Amino acid sequence: MSTIAERMAAAGAGAAIELRGVTRLFGALAALTDITLSVRPGERRAVLGSNGAGKTTLLNCVTGDFPPTSGTVRFFGEDVTILPPHERIRRGLRRTYQISLLFQRLTVRENVYLACRGVSRGRFSFLRTRAGEAIMQSVADLIALVHLENVADRLVGELAHGQQRQLEIALALAGAPRFILFDEPAAGLSPTERGDLVAILTALPSHIGYIIIEHDMDVALRVVESVTMMHNGRIFKEGAPAEIETDPEVQRLYLGGGHG
Amino acid sequence: MALTETSTPSIAAPRGGALSRWVSRHAAILLLGLILVLLPAVANEFLLDQIVGWSLALGMIALSLMFLAGYGGMVSLAQMTIAGVAGYMVAVLGASSLPTISLFWPWWVATPLAIAIAVVFGTLSGALSARTEGIYTIMITLAIAAAFFYLTLQNWPIFNGFNGFTTIPAPHFWGVNWRAPVPLYYLILFFAASSYGAVVYISRAPFGLALQGVRDNPRRMEAIGYNVAAHRVAAHAFAALIAAIGGVLLVWLNNQISPFSISFERVIDVLVIAVVGGLGHPIGAFVGAIIYVILRTFALDALLAVGLDGRRFQTIIGLGFLLIVLFSPDGVIGLWRRWSARLRANGGSRRL
């Protein structure tokens, strides 16, 4: 039997996401270099940086879409570095994609249903789901949450871009998420939809933490408590939103324009 | 479709109303089923077994491809080969005209075992191709088909080389001689209808929906908790079961199996049948099969009648394939769907 202290230590001092020395190479190109990052459970963190800074690659390393070349990734203390993506999802990790990855030839309801089924039992079931089953209520709730009730039975391929972005978010909220990675969720949303997005993010239960990549600073800085700045595959600054906004180096590299 | 059907449970509609709506929604397939059941009353043995029976058995093999390709996005050219494995095993384990090879085990051992062996074979080929996509899946399954064809052609101790097996009787049980034309027809009809119903049902069950998710976006399926490779392998196993039963029925119907039953031509025929019929719905496999069987049976005579070489029937099939692929990539059922959608003003978006 391990002591509580040992288990605490094994749990990466209670971090939800912990990266140690993560490097990701694409051929000779280092998309990420020696990233060490720790996010507490329930913490809301923005990852900012110019294009090519390695933000999306960072998310891909956490989810396992592209595992790191070296270094370790821990999820709530468990080493998930070589775990396939679906195993991480079943442990409570979720993500959205910068370019919507949806099931174009299925309906909105079927898309959300698949996401709910993916994190529950019966993924291989040969029996149809009955209307009264609890999962159908979760599906309806998620559809309502992202305001897609009117198009719930339309094929996703027929939806407007903004609606597809909303669905993208719904898929990441299925089941009981413990930590969510949002990759530019506001991209392509109208101002109203951005307001809805901010409302959804702030209304998430406080135990659900997330990392958000977002170019829209109005969205990003309103929904997080901490910020990680990346440049050329490295982290160069971490702090509270207010510090980051006023940091001269950040202004030069990111807000000021000089993309180098 | 059905997910939405079941999810909006016809909110508290009276039972009778639900039944009548179910009947009217499935009117076409119920009518077709009725015709097929009553067919032996009017049809002769030739029409019964050599046209309809053959179409249904062949349709099952095409259905297994439709399931993989239409729902899973996996074009497998090994489905005829899986059917062939089952057919060969029935001849080897059961009875044939070759007492030196056949083991003459009772049918209730030989037949299920033959199907089980074919399912294992199909599952293993699925496992080989599950991590590939698109043209690579086609290449791997084609290689499997080629390997098994040459194995049967060159192996004499088990497969009896290019002679294959003849006199492979359907069993005799429940006091029925299933060799006789009408019982054999009903046997085939039963399994064809069951596999059709199973595919239609499963397409809206979690397993089938997840398979369509894998088709549309395998990466996202991983990112919502599905083991994509395992799902693909399971789909291959299920498709192999349908193909294997179809293969056994085909052997009982033709009373023989040889390497030429599973040659490249036959392998490609299954692809042509599935595509001509349409990969969008399970019925397409049977539509394609009946068209193919009618062409194969009558094109020769028709060509001779207009003074052409009868052997050109393959050219007709080829031209038909070309026309369908060019003008209706979703096959004959795609044509039918578009026509009926045009008739109905607004409906048809998610029907059939």
Side-chain angles (χ1 to χ4, degrees), chain A residues 107 109-110 128-131 136 153, chain B residues 1-9 22 25-26 200-205 209 212 350-352:
Chain A
T107 65
R109 195 187 302 280
E110 288 162 347
R128 287 184 182 180
T129 305
R130 291 162 167 277
M136 296 316 292
D153 293 314
Chain B
M1 164 176 77
L3 186 64
T4 59
E5 278 166 23
T6 46
S7 60
T8 46
W22 186 87
R25 187 162 49 228
H26 298 92
V200 168
Y201 181 83
I202 288 167
S203 71
R204 317 312 305 171
L209 279 170
Q212 293 165 74
R350 203 90 170 103
R351 307 301 294 271
L352 200 136

Side-chain angles (χ1 to χ4, degrees), chain B residues 142-167:
Chain B
L142 182 62
I144 291 166
F148 187 66
F149 168 65
Y150 285 113
L151 174 68
T152 58
L153 195 63
Q154 293 162 1
N155 175 293
W156 291 82
I158 298 175
F159 295 103
N160 199 34
F162 68 81
N163 287 335
F165 295 82
T166 55
T167 325

Side-chain angles (χ1 to χ4, degrees), chain B residues 52-250:
Chain B
V52 182
W54 187 21
S55 299
L56 291 173
L58 206 52
M60 284 179 70
I61 299 167
L63 177 68
S64 78
L65 171 58
M66 179 277 152
F67 182 77
L68 290 175
Y71 293 136
M74 300 175 281
V75 178
S76 162
L77 294 183
Q79 296 315 106
M80 193 63 189
T81 306
I82 292 163
V85 170
Y88 264 110
M89 286 303 116
V90 158
V92 171
L93 303 174
S96 81
S97 61
L98 282 173
T100 48
I101 297 178
S102 290
L103 299 172
F104 290 91
W105 291 352
W107 72 268
W108 46 269
V109 177
T111 311
L113 194 56
I115 290 169
I117 291 169
V119 169
V120 169
F121 177 84
T123 309
L124 291 177
S125 346
L128 264 180
S129 62
R131 287 180 192 283
T132 63
E133 298 208 352
I135 196 148
Y136 300 101
T137 309
I138 298 178
M139 292 305 294
I140 286 180
T141 51
L142 182 62
I144 291 166
F148 187 66
F149 168 65
Y150 285 113
L151 174 68
T152 58
L153 195 63
Q154 293 162 1
N155 175 293
W156 291 82
I158 298 175
F159 295 103
N160 199 34
F162 68 81
N163 287 335
F165 295 82
T166 55
T167 325
I168 308 153
H172 196 120
F173 61 94
W174 295 344
V176 178
N177 175 16
W178 297 98
R179 273 305 284 284
V182 172
L184 183 59
Y185 169 78
Y186 277 121
L187 192 68
I188 294 173
L189 178 59
F190 171 77
F191 281 106
S194 304
S195 51
Y196 169 81
V199 168
V200 168
Y201 181 83
I202 288 167
S203 71
R204 317 312 305 171
F207 179 69
L209 279 170
L211 192 60
Q212 293 165 74
V214 168
R215 170 198 68 197
D216 282 4
N217 206 324
R219 185 176 169 198
R220 186 51 178 268
M221 282 303 277
E222 277 282 338
I224 57 174
Y226 293 85
N227 184 341
V228 167
H231 236 91
R232 286 182 168 150
V233 174
H236 276 281
F238 177 69
L241 177 64
I242 295 176
I245 297 172
V248 171
L249 294 170
L250 217 47

